[in-house]
CSV table of all heavy atoms in Angstrom, one decimal:
chain,number,residue,atom,x,y,z
I,146,GLY,N,102.2,80.6,72.4
I,146,GLY,CA,101.3,81.4,71.4
I,146,GLY,C,102.1,81.7,70.1
I,146,GLY,O,101.5,82.4,69.3
I,147,ASN,N,103.3,81.3,70.0
I,147,ASN,CA,104.1,81.7,68.8
I,147,ASN,C,104.4,80.4,68.0
I,147,ASN,O,104.9,79.4,68.6
I,147,ASN,CB,105.4,82.4,69.1
I,147,ASN,CG,105.1,83.9,69.4
I,147,ASN,OD1,104.1,84.2,70.1
I,147,ASN,ND2,105.9,84.8,68.9
I,148,LEU,N,104.3,80.4,66.7
I,148,LEU,CA,104.5,79.2,65.9
I,148,LEU,C,105.9,79.3,65.3
I,148,LEU,O,106.3,80.3,64.8
I,148,LEU,CB,103.4,79.0,64.8
I,148,LEU,CG,102.0,78.9,65.3
I,148,LEU,CD1,101.1,78.7,64.2
I,148,LEU,CD2,101.9,77.7,66.3
I,149,CYS,N,106.6,78.1,65.2
I,149,CYS,CA,107.8,77.9,64.5
I,149,CYS,C,107.7,76.7,63.7
I,149,CYS,O,107.2,75.7,64.2
I,149,CYS,CB,109.0,77.8,65.5
I,149,CYS,SG,110.5,77.2,64.7
I,150,ARG,N,108.0,76.8,62.4
I,150,ARG,CA,107.8,75.6,61.6
I,150,ARG,C,109.0,74.9,61.2
I,150,ARG,O,109.0,73.9,60.4
I,150,ARG,CB,107.0,75.9,60.3
I,150,ARG,CG,105.7,76.7,60.5
I,150,ARG,CD,104.8,76.2,61.6
I,150,ARG,NE,104.6,74.8,61.7
I,150,ARG,CZ,103.5,74.2,61.1
I,150,ARG,NH1,102.7,74.9,60.4
I,150,ARG,NH2,103.3,72.9,61.3
I,151,CYS,N,110.2,75.3,61.6
I,151,CYS,CA,111.4,74.6,61.2
I,151,CYS,C,112.4,74.4,62.3
I,151,CYS,O,113.0,73.3,62.4
I,151,CYS,CB,112.1,75.2,60.0
I,151,CYS,SG,113.0,76.7,60.2
I,152,THR,N,112.7,75.3,63.2
I,152,THR,CA,113.7,75.1,64.2
I,152,THR,C,113.3,74.0,65.2
I,152,THR,O,114.2,73.2,65.5
I,152,THR,CB,113.9,76.4,65.0
I,152,THR,OG1,113.9,77.5,64.2
I,152,THR,CG2,115.2,76.3,65.8
I,153,GLY,N,112.1,74.0,65.6
I,153,GLY,CA,111.6,73.1,66.7
I,153,GLY,C,111.7,73.9,67.9
I,153,GLY,O,112.4,74.9,68.1
I,154,TYR,N,110.8,73.5,68.9
I,154,TYR,CA,110.6,74.3,70.1
I,154,TYR,C,111.6,74.0,71.2
I,154,TYR,O,111.8,74.8,72.1
I,154,TYR,CB,109.2,74.1,70.6
I,154,TYR,CG,108.1,74.6,69.6
I,154,TYR,CD1,107.4,73.7,68.8
I,154,TYR,CD2,107.9,75.9,69.4
I,154,TYR,CE1,106.5,74.1,67.9
I,154,TYR,CE2,107.0,76.4,68.5
I,154,TYR,CZ,106.3,75.5,67.7
I,154,TYR,OH,105.4,75.9,66.8
I,155,GLN,N,112.3,72.8,71.1
I,155,GLN,CA,113.2,72.5,72.3
I,155,GLN,C,114.2,73.6,72.5
I,155,GLN,O,114.5,74.0,73.6
I,155,GLN,CB,113.9,71.1,72.0
I,155,GLN,CG,112.9,70.0,71.7
I,155,GLN,CD,111.9,69.7,72.8
I,155,GLN,OE1,112.2,70.1,74.0
I,155,GLN,NE2,110.8,69.1,72.5
I,156,ASN,N,114.9,74.0,71.4
I,156,ASN,CA,116.0,75.0,71.5
I,156,ASN,C,115.4,76.3,71.9
I,156,ASN,O,116.1,77.1,72.5
I,156,ASN,CB,116.8,75.0,70.2
I,156,ASN,CG,117.6,73.8,70.0
I,156,ASN,OD1,117.6,72.9,70.9
I,156,ASN,ND2,118.2,73.7,68.8
I,157,ILE,N,114.2,76.6,71.4
I,157,ILE,CA,113.6,77.9,71.8
I,157,ILE,C,113.3,78.0,73.3
I,157,ILE,O,113.6,79.0,73.9
I,157,ILE,CB,112.3,78.2,70.9
I,157,ILE,CG1,112.7,78.3,69.5
I,157,ILE,CG2,111.6,79.4,71.4
I,157,ILE,CD1,111.6,78.5,68.5
I,158,VAL,N,112.8,76.9,73.8
I,158,VAL,CA,112.5,76.8,75.3
I,158,VAL,C,113.9,76.9,76.0
I,158,VAL,O,114.0,77.7,77.0
I,158,VAL,CB,111.8,75.5,75.6
I,158,VAL,CG1,111.7,75.3,77.1
I,158,VAL,CG2,110.4,75.5,75.0
I,159,SER,N,114.9,76.2,75.5
I,159,SER,CA,116.2,76.4,76.2
I,159,SER,C,116.7,77.8,76.2
I,159,SER,O,117.3,78.3,77.1
I,159,SER,CB,117.3,75.5,75.5
I,159,SER,OG,116.8,74.2,75.4
I,160,ALA,N,116.4,78.5,75.0
I,160,ALA,CA,116.9,79.9,74.9
I,160,ALA,C,116.2,80.8,75.8
I,160,ALA,O,116.8,81.8,76.3
I,160,ALA,CB,116.7,80.3,73.4
I,161,VAL,N,114.9,80.5,76.1
I,161,VAL,CA,114.2,81.4,77.1
I,161,VAL,C,114.9,81.3,78.4
I,161,VAL,O,115.2,82.4,79.1
I,161,VAL,CB,112.7,80.9,77.3
I,161,VAL,CG1,112.1,81.7,78.4
I,161,VAL,CG2,112.0,81.0,76.0
I,162,GLN,N,115.3,80.1,78.8
I,162,GLN,CA,115.9,80.0,80.2
I,162,GLN,C,117.4,80.5,80.1
I,162,GLN,O,117.8,81.2,81.1
I,162,GLN,CB,115.9,78.5,80.6
I,162,GLN,CG,114.5,78.0,80.9
I,162,GLN,CD,114.5,76.7,81.6
I,162,GLN,OE1,114.6,75.7,81.0
I,162,GLN,NE2,114.3,76.8,82.9
I,163,ARG,N,118.1,80.4,79.0
I,163,ARG,CA,119.4,80.9,78.9
I,163,ARG,C,119.4,82.4,78.9
I,163,ARG,O,120.2,83.1,79.5
I,163,ARG,CB,120.1,80.4,77.6
I,163,ARG,CG,121.5,80.9,77.4
I,163,ARG,CD,122.4,80.4,78.5
I,163,ARG,NE,123.8,81.0,78.3
I,163,ARG,CZ,124.6,81.4,79.3
I,163,ARG,NH1,124.1,81.4,80.5
I,163,ARG,NH2,125.7,81.9,79.0
I,164,ALA,N,118.4,83.0,78.2
I,164,ALA,CA,118.2,84.4,78.2
I,164,ALA,C,118.0,85.0,79.6
I,164,ALA,O,118.5,86.0,79.9
I,164,ALA,CB,117.1,84.8,77.2
I,165,ALA,N,117.2,84.2,80.3
I,165,ALA,CA,116.9,84.7,81.7
I,165,ALA,C,118.2,84.7,82.5
I,165,ALA,O,118.5,85.7,83.3
I,165,ALA,CB,115.9,83.7,82.4
I,166,GLU,N,119.1,83.7,82.3
I,166,GLU,CA,120.4,83.7,83.0
I,166,GLU,C,121.2,84.9,82.6
I,166,GLU,O,121.8,85.6,83.4
I,166,GLU,CB,121.2,82.4,82.7
I,166,GLU,CG,120.6,81.2,83.3
I,166,GLU,CD,121.3,79.9,82.8
I,166,GLU,OE1,122.4,80.1,82.1
I,166,GLU,OE2,120.8,78.8,83.1
I,167,LEU,N,121.3,85.1,81.3
I,167,LEU,CA,122.2,86.2,80.8
I,167,LEU,C,121.6,87.6,81.3
I,167,LEU,O,122.4,88.5,81.7
I,167,LEU,CB,122.2,86.2,79.2
I,167,LEU,CG,122.9,85.1,78.6
I,167,LEU,CD1,122.6,85.0,77.1
I,167,LEU,CD2,124.4,85.1,78.8
I,168,ARG,N,120.3,87.7,81.3
I,168,ARG,CA,119.7,88.9,81.7
I,168,ARG,C,119.9,89.2,83.2
I,168,ARG,O,120.3,90.3,83.6
I,168,ARG,CB,118.2,88.9,81.4
I,168,ARG,CG,117.4,90.1,81.7
I,168,ARG,CD,115.9,90.0,81.5
I,168,ARG,NE,115.2,91.0,82.1
I,168,ARG,CZ,114.9,91.1,83.4
I,168,ARG,NH1,115.3,90.2,84.2
I,168,ARG,NH2,114.2,92.1,83.8
I,169,THR,N,119.8,88.1,84.0
I,169,THR,CA,120.0,88.3,85.4
I,169,THR,C,121.4,88.7,85.7
I,169,THR,O,121.7,89.6,86.5
I,169,THR,CB,119.7,87.0,86.1
I,169,THR,OG1,118.3,86.6,85.8
I,169,THR,CG2,119.8,87.1,87.6
I,170,ALA,N,122.4,88.1,85.0
I,170,ALA,CA,123.8,88.4,85.1
I,170,ALA,C,124.0,89.9,84.8
I,170,ALA,O,124.8,90.5,85.5
I,170,ALA,CB,124.7,87.5,84.2
I,171,GLU,N,123.3,90.4,83.8
I,171,GLU,CA,123.5,91.8,83.4
I,171,GLU,C,122.9,92.7,84.5
I,171,GLU,O,123.5,93.7,84.8
I,171,GLU,CB,122.8,92.1,82.1
I,171,GLU,CG,123.7,92.0,80.9
I,171,GLU,CD,123.0,92.5,79.7
I,171,GLU,OE1,122.0,93.2,79.7
I,171,GLU,OE2,123.5,92.1,78.6
I,172,VAL,N,121.7,92.3,85.0
I,172,VAL,CA,121.1,93.1,86.0
I,172,VAL,C,122.0,93.2,87.2
I,172,VAL,O,122.3,94.3,87.8
I,172,VAL,CB,119.7,92.6,86.4
I,172,VAL,CG1,119.1,93.3,87.6
I,172,VAL,CG2,118.8,92.7,85.2
Side-chain angles (χ1 to χ4, degrees):
Chain I
N147 282 43
L148 299 181
C149 165
R150 308 319 309 269
C151 73
T152 316
Y154 297 103
Q155 306 300 338
N156 290 354
I157 294 176
V158 171
S159 305
V161 176
Q162 293 194 280
R163 179 64 184 141
E166 288 172 9
L167 291 171
R168 183 182 167 281
T169 303
E171 265 189 19
V172 173

